[in-house]
Amino acid sequence: MNAPKKVCVVGSGNWGSAVAKIIGDNAAHNPKFDSTVKMWVYEENINGRKLTEIINTEHENVKYLPGHKLPTNVLAVPDLVEAAGEADVLVFVVPHQFIGNVCDTIEGKVKKDALGLSLIKGVDAGSDGLRLISDIIREKLGIDVAVLMGANIANEVADGKFCESTIGCKNKERALLLKELMENPNFRITVVEESDVVEMCGALKNVVAVGAGFCDGLGYGDNTKAAVIRLGLMEMVAFACTFCTSGPVSSATFLESCGVADLITTCYGGRNQRVAKAFVTTGKSIEELEKEMLNGQKLQGPATAAEVYYVLQRKELLNKFPLFTTIYQICYQGHPVREFISCLQNHPEHK
C-alpha cells in the first residue's frame, strides 16, 4: 500500500484558512492522506502573540478567518521550507503578487513528484507575454500543477454553505485524488481538462467585478450591472480564445462554477466589487481602500487589470477589450469613473 500523502497548504489568508478547514477534515478521515496538514503562515504578531501560536493552540485564524475553528490536525508553520519540504501535495493559496517569492524560496526544496494545486486567481504579464500562475509554479518548481477555481466566497465555504467549484487538470488520476482531498457534501467539485481556461476565468472575473463595483457606486442598478457581467463574460471568452495555447477553447467550461457562477458571485459579493464601489463613493485611492477595508488581504482585480492591460497593449488589442481597458484606465490613469458608462454604451457588442 502507498504511504499516505502529506499535504501542505501554502498560504493562510481568508481563503487559505477556509480551504485548510476542508482539507484538514478530509485528511483526518481518509487513509490516502497523512492526518497532519501543514499550513504555511506568514508570521504576524496579534496583540503580542504570534499568529502561528494562536492557530496551533486555539485552532482559529483570528486575523483572517475569525469565528471559525480549524481542525486540530491543521498545523501552522511559519517557515515555508519546513512546511512544504516533505509535502506530496502543495495547495497554493497566496495573493498572485507573491507567488514568485514563494517559488524562489522553495525551489529545489520540494519533492520532484509532488503535485501542485493552485487556487490563485491572477495572471502575470512578464517580458515574455502572458503567463498563468500555474505556469510559474510549474516552471520554477518542476512539478505538475492543477488548478481549482469557483464561486467560492471564503466565509461562506467556512460556514459550510453549499457551493460548487471546478478543478482543471489534464491527468484524470491526479484530478480524482485532488477531488478526494478537496470535496465534501457542501463543497462539490467538477473536473474538466481545460485547466488554462479554468485558471483564466478565475483571474479575469476579478477585473469584471471591479466594473460591477463602479456600476454600484454610480447607482446604476441591476440592469446595468447585468450588462457589465454579460459584456465582461464576452471579453473573458475572447481573451481566453486569444491567449490559451493548449487547443480550442470550449464554451462549456465557462458554464462551470469557475466561469459564469464565479463571475456572478464576485460581482455581487466579492472584495473587488466592494472596494470598487467605495472607490466611487469615497473618492479614496484603491491603495487606501485596500488597507482600510481588507484587514491585510490583497485586492486582485485592479492588479489583474494592470497585467491584462500590459499584455493587450503589447499585442495592440486594447480596442477589442474596451471593458478591461477602461477599468484599468479608471484605476490607474485617473480617468473619470463616469467614463465607464460610455464604455458600456459604445461597446463593440452593440454595433
Side-chain angles (χ1 to χ4, degrees):
M1 182 176 167
N2 293 329
K5 296 193 178 298
K6 295 179 179 179
V7 182
C8 172
V9 179
V10 181
S12 57
N14 187 232
W15 185 213
S17 298
V19 164
K21 189 170 186 277
I22 292 174
I23 291 174
D25 281 336
N26 285 348
H29 300 101
N30 188 330
K32 287 186 183 177
F33 302 103
D34 190 278
S35 58
T36 299
V37 173
K38 291 183 179 179
M39 177 171 73
W40 173 61
V41 175
Y42 181 80
E43 192 69 279
E44 300 178 58
N45 280 311
I46 311 292
N47 299 323
R49 293 178 68 194
K50 290 181 177 177
L51 182 56
T52 51
E53 179 204 333
I54 296 170
I55 293 171
N56 289 334
T57 55
E58 297 171 22
H59 308 294
E60 181 182 349
N61 188 334
V62 293
K63 179 163 185 183
Y64 296 109
L65 196 68
H68 295 279
K69 287 294 180 185
L70 297 173
T72 56
N73 59 318
V74 173
L75 178 67
V77 180
D79 184 285
L80 178 53
V81 174
E82 183 188 334
E86 294 300 313
D88 300 293
V89 181
L90 292 157
V91 181
F92 294 91
V93 208
V94 295
H96 84 269
Q97 301 95 315
F98 300 153
I99 193 59
N101 286 338
V102 164
C103 288
D104 287 343
T105 302
I106 57 176
E107 186 177 359
K109 296 170 183 173
V110 297
K111 291 183 175 180
K112 282 295 176 192
D113 61 349
L115 174 58
L117 179 66
S118 174
L119 281 63
I120 300 170
K121 295 179 174 179
V123 291
D124 178 70
S127 54
D128 300 330
L130 183 83
R131 287 202 303 168
L132 298 173
I133 302 304
S134 62
D135 289 335
I136 295 171
I137 299 169
R138 196 175 290 114
E139 289 163 18
K140 290 215 173 195
L141 303 184
I143 62 173
D144 190 17
V145 185
V147 299
L148 181 144
M149 307 280 155
N152 309 138
I153 290 177
N155 286 52
E156 294 183 14
V157 173
D159 281 336
K161 292 176 179 172
F162 180 83
C163 67
E164 301 173 315
S165 205
T166 310
I167 285 177
C169 183
K170 290 179 171 52
N171 182 311
K172 195 167 230 178
E173 187 181 339
R174 292 194 146 193
L176 293 175
L177 178 74
L178 292 171
K179 181 170 176 167
E180 262 189 84
L181 178 67
M182 299 295 300
E183 189 171 62
N184 68 30
N186 285 319
F187 191 72
R188 306 304 293 188
I189 290 172
T190 305
V191 174
V192 301
E193 286 190 14
E194 283 188 314
S195 58
D196 50 355
V197 179
V198 171
E199 186 170 2
M200 218 165 262
C201 283
L204 297 176
K205 58 94 188 182
N206 283 328
V207 180
V208 182
V210 173
F214 291 162
C215 178
D216 289 334
L218 291 165
Y220 278 98
D222 284 340
N223 289 348
T224 309
K225 187 142 96 170
V228 172
I229 292 170
R230 188 188 79 83
L231 293 170
L233 180 60
M234 297 295 287
E235 291 196 14
M236 286 169 60
V237 173
F239 193 92
C241 288
T242 303
F243 290 100
C244 286
T245 56
S246 62
V249 171
S250 166
S251 58
T253 303
F254 291 91
L255 299 178
E256 297 290 348
S257 182
C258 63
V260 67
D262 195 9
L263 179 60
I264 292 167
T265 300
T266 310
C267 286
Y268 275 92
R271 67 183 77 159
N272 292 284
Q273 176 269 339
R274 286 187 285 112
V275 172
K277 180 180 179 181
F279 175 79
V280 179
T281 56
T282 67
K284 294 179 180 178
S285 71
I286 294 287
E287 291 78 11
E288 285 177 281
L289 292 166
E290 182 181 65
K291 284 178 187 161
E292 282 180 23
M293 296 176 67
L294 298 186
N295 189 34
Q297 296 176 83
K298 285 295 177 186
L299 197 63
Q300 300 298 309
T304 303
E307 304 275 10
V308 166
Y309 182 89
Y310 180 70
V311 168
L312 293 174
Q313 187 178 45
R314 291 187 63 190
K315 294 277 188 181
E316 299 183 351
L317 290 171
L318 290 174
N319 62 330
K320 294 190 182 304
F321 295 88
L323 192 77
F324 291 168
T325 299
T326 302
I327 289 166
Y328 166 80
Q329 290 169 334
I330 292 168
C331 287
Y332 292 106
Q333 293 186 335
H335 285 226
V337 73
R338 292 200 172 272
E339 284 189 11
F340 187 64
I341 299 306
S342 301
C343 159
L344 302 180
Q345 292 168 335
N346 301 312
H347 198 282
E349 267 289 296
H350 299 137
K351 292 177 182 173

